[in-house]
Amino acid sequence: MIQFFRRLFSVVVISCIFGLVCGKTVSAANTFRLQNPVLNSYPAPELAGITAWINSEPLQLNQLKGKVVLIDFWTYSCINCIRTLPYLREWYKKYHNDGLVIIGVHSPEFDFEKNLDNVKNAVVKDGIVYPVALDNQFNTWRNYDNRYWPAHYLIDKNGNVVYQHFGEGEYVQTENNIRFLLGLKEPVSESTVSSEIVTRAETPETYLGYTRAANFKSPEKARHDQSASYSYPEELLDNTWALKGGWVIHAEHIMSTESNSALKIHFNARKVFIVMGSSTNKSIQVKLLLNGEQVVVGKGKDVMNSSITVDKHRLYEVLALPRSSSGILQMISSSPGLEGYAFTFG
């Protein structure tokens, strides 16, 4: 009898342990579901008005039923978009064979981003191998009622948008939603892609063209679409900028009209980027000074000998400081024709 109860006790204990383990397994499985889905899924709008395709023949979403599709609205000079690209490349590499299709819908922020060759060069430079569609007239952008760069829309195998995310971040959540929609069994707990931490106190994105310009502090009134001479104020406060010398302020960019035309900005950030180009189709040297000194420590990847060679319309990395700090950056153009569009920070 004692032996019987001992055996019964052992069976009960083992069953309880097994039940707990199984219970945890079932519980974990039950938690693997679509995270933060849209409240009401809806049929994915079609890709409309695409002027060109890169890395693919023209695609239509109705051809991709049975696949999981990630639509990425981006533009190649947007730093926020650029910081998402390593994740997109990694997801495509990991899950394409399982049925993931990524389509980068390139909706240009600036006119020069409508140029097919410019986008092709950026696609090669950034190592993008998935299909890219040029949405130069914003037809697909409007179909999705989109307002952001970058923006991600996840489409399930039935062709419905079930998840969307705007801006950077939520990479683990997005990857787990991809895995769930593909029918993979387990979630990931962290991303294998390293990311930079962005300080919220940093200087906001600063546009230079008059349509969206803010915090312009040259003493002279900005003259639209006309050549004018500007000067620096006695003091340049945080997050403000000013011009010196000859410039034309256009709707979406500024353009130097003489040699040694200069620009100053008082920033707070670790990294400083600017979208620039040359209107002359010739390279322009831009000399850099940080707090009145040549840029040696903390120079960006596009800087050599405290200057940048502007030869294409694109985003240039000016500063990559050891830590976030406040400073005054001055940029001096070697010749007329330098175009500046916007500063971004990281």
Side-chain angles (χ1 to χ4, degrees):
M1 182 66 70
I2 294 174
Q3 187 71 16
F4 170 79
F5 281 112
R6 283 178 178 170
R7 289 178 180 174
L8 180 60
F9 179 79
S10 299
V11 169
V12 170
V13 170
I14 291 171
S15 298
C16 289
I17 293 173
F18 182 76
L20 288 171
V21 172
C22 289
K24 287 182 180 179
T25 302
V26 170
S27 176
N30 286 340
T31 61
F32 188 33
R33 55 175 63 92
L34 203 64
Q35 301 172 25
N36 195 25
V38 297
L39 292 179
N40 296 296
S41 63
Y42 56 92
E46 274 300 335
L47 307 173
I50 302 302
T51 58
W53 285 85
I54 302 171
N55 294 336
S56 174
E57 294 297 319
L59 296 174
Q60 291 296 328
L61 293 182
N62 58 18
Q63 302 171 330
L64 300 175
K65 292 287 183 69
K67 302 283 187 180
V68 174
V69 181
L70 191 159
I71 300 292
D72 168 43
F73 284 97
W74 73 298
T75 187
Y76 80 80
S77 73
C78 164
I79 186 59
N80 308 96
C81 301
I82 291 170
R83 285 197 284 248
T84 67
L85 292 180
Y87 297 92
L88 292 163
R89 291 194 299 261
E90 180 69 10
W91 297 337
Y92 189 78
K93 179 181 177 182
K94 288 170 67 174
Y95 303 119
H96 179 60
N97 289 339
D98 293 314
L100 174 67
V101 176
I102 297 178
I103 300 175
V105 177
H106 187 273
S107 304
E109 185 173 14
F110 302 114
D111 277 346
F112 65 81
E113 292 175 311
K114 296 178 181 179
N115 184 284
L116 177 59
D117 288 336
N118 288 349
V119 183
K120 283 182 175 179
N121 290 336
V123 165
V124 172
K125 176 179 175 291
D126 292 324
I128 297 171
V129 296
Y130 49 80
V132 172
L134 270 66
D135 183 32
N136 282 352
Q137 305 306 318
F138 283 75
N139 290 344
T140 297
W141 175 286
R142 286 190 292 270
N143 277 358
Y144 280 77
D145 196 25
N146 188 53
R147 293 178 173 83
Y148 306 97
W149 292 282
H152 296 152
Y153 295 81
L154 262 180
I155 302 168
D156 67 12
K157 294 180 180 181
N158 296 318
N160 295 314
V161 175
V162 295
Y163 171 77
Q164 56 196 31
H165 176 70
F166 307 121
E168 300 179 58
E170 295 193 5
Y171 300 115
V172 173
Q173 177 172 284
T174 303
E175 181 172 358
N176 280 331
N177 283 344
I178 291 170
R179 292 178 63 84
F180 176 81
L181 293 174
L182 289 172
L184 301 179
K185 294 182 178 179
E186 296 179 354
V188 297
S189 58
E190 61 183 17
S191 175
T192 58
V193 179
S194 61
S195 60
E196 298 182 16
I197 298 174
V198 178
T199 304
R200 294 304 172 195
E202 73 186 16
T203 300
E205 187 169 14
T206 302
Y207 291 93
L208 305 178
Y210 62 75
T211 301
R212 290 185 284 180
N215 297 325
F216 175 62
K217 296 301 179 182
S218 285
E220 299 80 13
K221 183 179 179 180
R223 298 180 64 181
H224 296 178
D225 301 312
Q226 300 177 51
S227 181
S229 185
Y230 298 94
S231 61
Y232 292 147
E234 292 184 6
E235 182 182 10
L236 197 62
L237 300 178
D238 287 356
N239 303 332
T240 64
W241 61 283
L243 298 173
K244 182 180 179 181
W247 292 89
V248 178
I249 301 177
H250 292 293
E252 69 174 18
H253 69 278
I254 59 174
M255 185 184 73
S256 64
T257 59
E258 59 188 29
S259 298
N260 297 318
S261 295
L263 173 156
K264 270 186 181 179
I265 186 167
H266 192 161
F267 70 91
N268 181 42
R270 189 177 78 82
K271 287 191 171 184
V272 178
F273 307 84
I274 183 172
V275 178
M276 294 187 292
S278 170
S279 67
T280 65
N281 294 321
K282 296 180 181 178
S283 297
I284 296 176
Q285 293 296 314
V286 179
K287 181 181 177 182
L288 306 175
L289 296 173
L290 178 60
N291 300 323
E293 303 289 337
Q294 290 193 350
V295 178
V296 179
V297 177
K299 66 181 181 180
K301 65 183 179 182
D302 292 306
V303 177
M304 182 174 291
N305 298 324
S306 197
S307 67
I308 291 176
T309 301
V310 178
D311 55 357
K312 293 182 176 67
H313 282 84
R314 65 178 180 88
L315 184 76
Y316 292 84
E317 185 181 282
V318 183
L319 297 176
L321 302 171
R323 64 189 63 84
S324 183
S325 59
S326 179
I328 294 179
L329 172 67
Q330 183 172 199
M331 308 181 69
I332 306 165
S333 175
S334 63
S335 59
L338 177 69
E339 295 178 338
Y341 290 79
F343 282 99
T344 50
F345 305 89

